């Protein structure tokens, strides 16, 4: 079997463009992959056009390790977000083909299942008025839908510092959310890499009475010494990793022991196998894995293949029940959250199929992510905001 070529399809919403890639073979089998870029969708499409000619066409879709190696190193230049995302969408499509050809789900090819279900946490649910009353109502709706965990960034446009007044308001929002979801549900606290170490430490202590399940990206991701400073002074699990795009670059996080939960994005890290390798290394360092997942149903399905096969997989992020939920119709067999969990599927490959006609109903948009714009959390075209 050989790859004859690829085709790309962009599904657009005001705050995110989802790029789907179909990998075609000479035996009629087709696999699908997906990623979500932040303002770089056209760059990704351009890279894939070159990579198709240079590396992909003519390759054996079963020889996934070899194809990834050639795409990553065969152009000599150091692979960054765009290249690693391009690798990811092709790589997961090859796993899809391999699973379909063998008649087994991808998780079976990764060593088999270690669980029958993966816990989900909701994101994208707080696209409402930014008040305690509105957040209480929205959070309650998440729980009523069966979720047992959710995540929120309550810090507005905070950057490096947060004023006393804004701190009090952020606390009021978290207080309302905790009241709505009760004591048993998990509440993940997102900081989006906003703050200086001192501010992150202060805010973590302010939020401690509401029992956050983790503190996510408390400081910008470039300076691991700053993260170590936070970890040393905060009595909460630290989560990070969504903006690291090469498995090798996690090495310093492992060495520092400054993180408890790794959050690789399967769609940016090079795909399913790269993420599964990372999870294995994390296991030897007693760290959990909870992938960043702001993609649609295919990226969710790909992340779940790791989830069902990795013993240290904690939980999976899910936007698609709350933010542009209508995009779920572009994929047949989209994973569903039932009683707060994704449940094991025995469908071959990734278990999903892209509906090209449905995808065409959502043309590419000039989607942007501006964390510093007022109202970014609304994910509204009026604010040009977004989410991560």
């Amino acid at each position: 079997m050989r790859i004859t070529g690829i085709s790309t399809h962009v599904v657009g919403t005001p705050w995110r463009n989802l790029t789907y890639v179909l990998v075609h073979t000479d035996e009629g089998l087709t696999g699908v992959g997906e990623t979500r870029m932040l303002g770089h969708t056209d760059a990704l499409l351009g890279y894939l056009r070159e990579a198709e000619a240079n590396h992909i066409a003519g390759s054996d879709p079963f020889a996934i390790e070899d194809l990834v190696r050639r795409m990553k190193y065969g152009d000599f230049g150091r692979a960054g977000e765009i290249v690693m995302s391009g690798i990811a969408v092709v790589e997961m499509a090859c796993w899809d083909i391999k699973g379909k050809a063998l008649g087994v789900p991808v998780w079976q090819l990764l060593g088999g299942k270690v669980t029958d279900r993966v816990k989900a946490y909701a994101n994208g649910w707080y696209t409402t008025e930014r008040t305690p009353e509105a957040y209480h109502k929205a959070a309650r709706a998440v729980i009523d839908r069966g979720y047992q965990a959710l995540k929120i960034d309550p810090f507005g446009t905070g950057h490096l510092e947060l004023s006393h007044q804004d701190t009090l308001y952020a606390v009021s929002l978290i207080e309302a959310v905790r009241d709505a979801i009760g004591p048993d549900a998990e509440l993940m606290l997102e900081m989006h890499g906003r703050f200086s170490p001192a501010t992150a430490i202060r805010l973590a202590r302010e939020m401690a009475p509401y029992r956050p399940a983790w503190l996510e990206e408390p400081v910008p991701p470039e300076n691991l010494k700053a993260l170590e400073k936070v970890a040393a002074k905060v009595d909460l699990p630290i989560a990070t990793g969504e903006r690291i795009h090469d498995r090798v670059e996690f090495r310093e996080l492992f060495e520092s022991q400054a993180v408890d939960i790794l959050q690789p994005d399967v769609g940016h890290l090079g795909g399913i196998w790269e993420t599964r390798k990372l999870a294995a290394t994390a296991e030897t360092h007693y760290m959990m894995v909870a992938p960043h997942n702001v993609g649609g149903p295919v990226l969710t399905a790909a992340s779940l293949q790791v989830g069902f096969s990795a013993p240290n997989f904690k939980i999976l992020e899910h936007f698609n029940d709350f933010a542009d939920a209508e995009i779920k119709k572009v994929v047949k067999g989209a994973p569903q959250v039932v009683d707060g969990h994704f449940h094991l599927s025995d469908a071959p490959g990734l278990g999903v199929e892209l509906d090209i006609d449905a995808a065409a109903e959502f043309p590419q948009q000039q989607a942007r992510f501006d964390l510093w714009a007022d109202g970014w959390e609304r994910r509204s075209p009026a604010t040009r905001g977004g989410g991560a």
Side-chain angles (χ1 to χ4, degrees):
M1 187 187 303
R2 293 290 164 177
I3 297 172
T4 56
I6 64 174
S7 56
T8 57
H9 305 268
V10 178
V11 170
T13 79
W15 69 280
R16 59 177 176 169
N17 283 315
L18 307 176
T19 301
Y20 294 89
V21 171
L22 295 176
V23 173
H24 307 280
T25 68
D26 57 5
E27 294 188 14
L29 283 175
T30 298
V32 62
E34 179 201 350
T35 192
R36 171 269 204 162
M37 302 300 293
L38 284 168
H40 300 148
T41 297
D42 289 337
L44 173 66
L45 297 177
Y47 165 69
L48 286 169
R49 282 194 296 271
E50 293 192 67
E52 179 182 15
N54 294 337
H55 305 298
I56 302 168
S59 293
D60 177 357
F62 273 39
I64 297 171
E65 185 86 47
D66 178 66
L67 178 56
V68 168
R69 179 185 58 81
R70 287 188 286 109
M71 291 181 71
K72 184 175 180 182
Y73 298 110
D75 298 323
F76 186 72
R78 184 175 178 181
E81 178 187 13
I82 293 168
V83 170
M84 294 307 295
S85 300
I87 292 172
V89 289
V90 173
E91 189 263 11
M92 64 182 77
C94 287
W95 280 110
D96 192 28
I97 290 168
K98 193 169 188 175
K100 289 174 180 175
L102 298 175
V104 297
V106 172
W107 56 258
Q108 193 70 270
L109 303 175
L110 302 179
K113 68 175 183 177
V114 295
T115 183
D116 289 319
R117 63 180 192 169
V118 167
K119 190 173 184 179
Y121 74 86
N123 206 341
W125 58 270
Y126 55 105
T127 56
T128 184
E129 186 180 2
R130 191 171 177 268
T131 66
E133 296 76 17
Y135 277 23
H136 189 284
K137 181 179 179 180
R140 186 64 242 173
V142 174
I143 300 302
D144 290 343
R145 195 160 183 160
Y147 281 84
Q148 300 164 23
L150 52 75
K151 187 166 78 178
I152 181 174
D153 175 344
F155 302 109
T157 58
H159 180 54
L160 292 182
E161 293 186 318
L162 198 68
S163 71
H164 178 65
Q165 182 179 4
D166 288 341
T167 297
L168 293 177
Y169 197 76
V171 170
S172 74
L173 295 175
I174 293 299
E175 182 180 28
V177 171
R178 174 52 77 188
D179 182 71
I181 67 177
D184 297 329
E186 287 189 279
L187 172 58
M188 287 73 175
L189 188 62
E190 167 74 271
M191 287 187 166
H192 276 129
R194 292 183 178 280
F195 299 119
S196 68
T199 301
I201 292 165
R202 175 176 64 82
L203 291 172
R205 290 171 177 167
E206 295 278 1
M207 299 294 180
Y210 307 102
R211 299 178 303 284
W214 70 49
L215 191 68
E216 182 171 335
E217 268 201 330
V219 295
E222 297 86 2
N223 185 344
L224 292 184
K225 288 295 183 182
L227 186 66
E228 290 179 39
K229 183 176 179 180
V230 175
K233 296 186 177 181
V234 168
D235 190 22
L236 290 171
I238 301 294
T240 195
E242 70 181 71
R243 288 188 273 184
I244 301 176
H245 305 128
D246 189 331
R247 181 167 49 91
V248 175
E249 293 174 4
F250 280 87
R251 177 181 54 82
E252 292 180 57
L253 278 177
F254 289 128
E255 291 174 351
S256 72
Q257 291 284 301
V259 62
D260 305 285
I261 300 148
L262 296 183
Q263 297 177 294
D265 189 312
V266 177
H268 293 319
L269 191 71
I272 293 168
W273 189 228
E274 287 295 285
T275 306
R276 184 62 187 88
K277 289 178 182 178
L278 180 70
T281 306
E283 187 181 4
T284 68
H285 289 79
Y286 315 128
M287 295 176 183
M288 303 297 288
V289 174
H292 177 253
N293 177 38
V294 192
V298 173
L299 187 54
T300 299
S303 300
L304 286 170
Q305 307 309 312
V306 180
F308 291 128
S309 61
N312 58 328
F313 196 99
K314 177 177 175 62
I315 197 167
L316 184 62
E317 184 173 23
H318 195 229
F319 272 79
N320 300 322
D321 280 337
F322 303 97
D324 13 276
E326 66 275 10
I327 65 157
K328 286 193 290 185
K329 74 178 186 179
V330 308
V331 171
K332 299 174 182 177
Q336 303 294 327
V337 176
V338 179
D339 297 328
H341 293 79
F342 294 102
H343 293 265
L344 189 74
S345 170
D346 290 314
L350 297 179
V352 293
E353 296 289 344
L354 180 66
D355 185 330
I356 296 175
D357 292 334
E361 298 177 20
F362 300 88
Q364 182 175 348
Q365 298 194 33
Q366 191 179 353
R368 288 189 57 210
F369 172 58
D370 186 355
L371 188 68
W372 319 114
D374 286 329
W376 67 266
E377 69 280 352
R378 303 290 291 270
R379 296 177 175 84
S380 164
T383 63
R384 305 309 306 165

